[in-house]
Amino acid sequence: MPHDHAWQKSSYCGQGDSCVHVAADATGTIKLTESSDPTGAIVRTTPEAFSALIRTTKRPAGAEPA
């Protein structure tokens, strides 16, 4: 795992290598990577976009957007 960020493992992660890790850098940029290849692709996004992603994934299937 890259050491320049305080990566946190998803609380929904079970056992194994298929986990999402999240970190924020000094500028506030949110970064996501997966534990099976933590030095591979890192997705970068804004806090607002990340919040929208979390809200969307928590919304029940078929529910209207808030």
Side-chain angles (χ1 to χ4, degrees):
M1 187 70 49
H3 295 289
D4 56 339
H5 308 296
W7 293 97
Q8 294 180 323
K9 183 168 59 170
S10 168
S11 61
Y12 288 94
C13 182
Q15 299 295 325
D17 290 336
S18 299
C19 299
V20 173
H21 292 260
V22 179
D25 67 16
T27 67
T29 298
I30 305 297
K31 298 180 180 186
L32 297 102
T33 191
E34 66 174 300
S35 58
S36 64
D37 186 11
T39 61
I42 296 176
V43 176
R44 291 169 177 79
T45 190
T46 65
E48 297 80 15
F50 185 65
S51 292
L53 171 68
I54 298 302
R55 280 192 310 276
T56 300
T57 59
K58 287 183 175 183
R59 190 171 51 233
E64 292 293 319

